[in-house]
């Protein structure tokens, strides 16, 4: 059986817990801290009722929380949907509706732009805001919570753990010839892409990868998981 995507982080945390996993501006995160954050946020998603195969969209720029949210969705047996952070509200709403997103992780600034279109996203039940400083906006029919509140959710065991042939991600095309289309990737798909890329790059455990590509792009996602 092929490793699941989130297993990569947990294995790295076992082998080198203090090694640097992420570097963003002046922020760093070790593998042990990253693994702990992923486990806790995954428990939070399950506590919200996320079931195996259900979608978690992440509408954020590149930042530490983006990486944690993507891997947490996977660890909760869900499917992550990275959304292009420059899309307009109507385009985001189309994606959320098209693939039946249940939980959306976003920023307060982006949430304010989305408020008028979220009512059309009938499968959406929870919004998680990563940088909430003041009181969160109330949106009818939706639970709006802070990133820290998700962190505080009680531990819930996964009743139906994912397997390697399950969906791991849905990546959307640009929509230049019509409506954007969701491309489904299993855990196996992403792992095979990783192996092929890694076989052509000579690097060791102390090397760093500068990922200039967007995470919502397949190559950017694969390169970021090497």
């Amino acid at each position: 059986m092929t490793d699941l995507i989130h297993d990569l982080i947990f294995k790295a945390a076992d082998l080198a817990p203090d090694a640097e996993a992420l570097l963003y501006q002046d922020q760093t995160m070790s593998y042990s801290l990253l693994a702990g954050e992923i486990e806790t946020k995954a428990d939070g998603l399950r506590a919200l009722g996320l079931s195996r195969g259900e979608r978690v969209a992440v509408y954020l720029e590149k930042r530490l929380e983006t990486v944690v949210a993507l891997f947490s969705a996977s660890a909760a047996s869900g499917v992550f949907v990275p959304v292009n952070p420059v899309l307009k509200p109507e385009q985001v709403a189309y994606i959320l509706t098209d693939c039946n997103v249940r939980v959306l992780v976003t920023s307060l600034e982006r949430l304010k732009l989305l408020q008028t279109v979220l009512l059309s996203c009938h499968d959406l039940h929870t919004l998680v805001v990563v940088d909430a400083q003041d009181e969160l906006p109330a949106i009818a029919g939706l639970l709006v919570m802070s990133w820290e509140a998700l962190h505080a959710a009680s531990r819930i065991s996964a009743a139906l753990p994912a397997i390697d042939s399950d969906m791991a991600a849905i990546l959307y095309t640009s929509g230049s010839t019509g409506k954007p289309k969701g491309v489904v990737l299993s855990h196996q798909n992403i792992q095979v892409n990783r192996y092929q890329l890694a076989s052509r790059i000579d690097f060791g455990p102390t090397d760093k990868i500068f990922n200039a590509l967007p995470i919502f792009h397949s190559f950017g996602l694969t390169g970021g998981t090497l």
Side-chain angles (χ1 to χ4, degrees):
M1 178 176 172
T2 304
D3 286 338
L4 305 184
I5 297 305
H6 52 277
D7 291 333
L8 298 170
I9 304 300
F10 299 145
K11 286 188 173 183
D14 289 337
L15 292 172
D18 297 325
E20 189 175 79
L22 297 173
L23 171 62
Y24 171 70
Q25 296 181 352
D26 60 348
Q27 299 175 283
T28 62
M29 185 175 283
S30 67
Y31 276 106
S32 61
L33 181 56
L34 177 58
E37 280 290 289
I38 290 169
E39 283 188 311
T40 304
K41 298 304 186 188
D43 290 337
L45 290 172
R46 286 192 288 265
L48 291 173
L50 188 78
S51 299
R52 177 180 174 184
E54 290 190 324
R55 284 63 144 156
V56 177
V58 182
Y59 181 47
L60 288 171
E61 71 281 10
K62 280 185 179 177
R63 55 191 297 168
L64 299 183
E65 293 90 346
T66 305
V67 177
V68 173
L70 296 177
F71 280 105
S72 298
S74 176
S77 300
V79 178
F80 59 83
V81 184
V83 180
N84 184 342
V86 302
L87 290 183
K88 297 179 180 179
E90 293 76 14
Q91 295 170 306
V92 176
Y94 169 80
I95 291 174
L96 301 183
T97 304
D98 185 63
C99 67
N100 312 104
V101 166
R102 304 290 283 167
V103 178
L104 171 64
V105 181
T106 190
S107 65
L108 186 59
E109 179 183 5
R110 286 184 167 82
L111 176 56
K112 290 177 180 178
L113 297 175
L114 293 174
Q115 284 192 67
T116 58
V117 300
L118 289 177
L119 294 179
S120 64
C121 305
H122 302 299
D123 294 291
L124 186 66
H125 61 63
T126 301
L127 303 170
V128 180
V129 186
V130 300
D131 55 357
Q133 298 294 331
D134 302 316
E135 185 175 345
L136 292 168
I139 302 177
L142 294 174
L143 171 63
V144 185
M145 64 190 306
S146 69
W147 182 247
E148 291 71 25
L150 181 64
H151 190 281
S154 59
R155 185 173 182 82
I156 302 294
S157 298
L160 291 173
I163 59 176
D164 57 7
S165 59
D166 280 351
M167 281 190 294
I170 302 177
L171 308 184
Y172 271 80
T173 62
S174 62
S176 57
T177 59
K179 291 289 188 181
K181 299 173 179 62
V183 179
V184 174
L185 297 176
S186 69
H187 290 269
Q188 288 177 329
N189 291 148
I190 297 176
Q191 293 286 36
V192 168
N193 288 343
R194 286 184 59 253
Y195 294 144
Q196 290 177 338
L197 183 57
S199 67
R200 291 165 171 79
I201 302 176
D202 182 19
F203 66 92
T206 60
D207 293 327
K208 292 181 172 62
I209 297 175
F210 175 63
N211 190 8
L213 293 171
I215 297 177
F216 61 86
H217 187 277
S218 59
F219 197 23
L221 176 65
T222 302
T225 58
L226 287 176

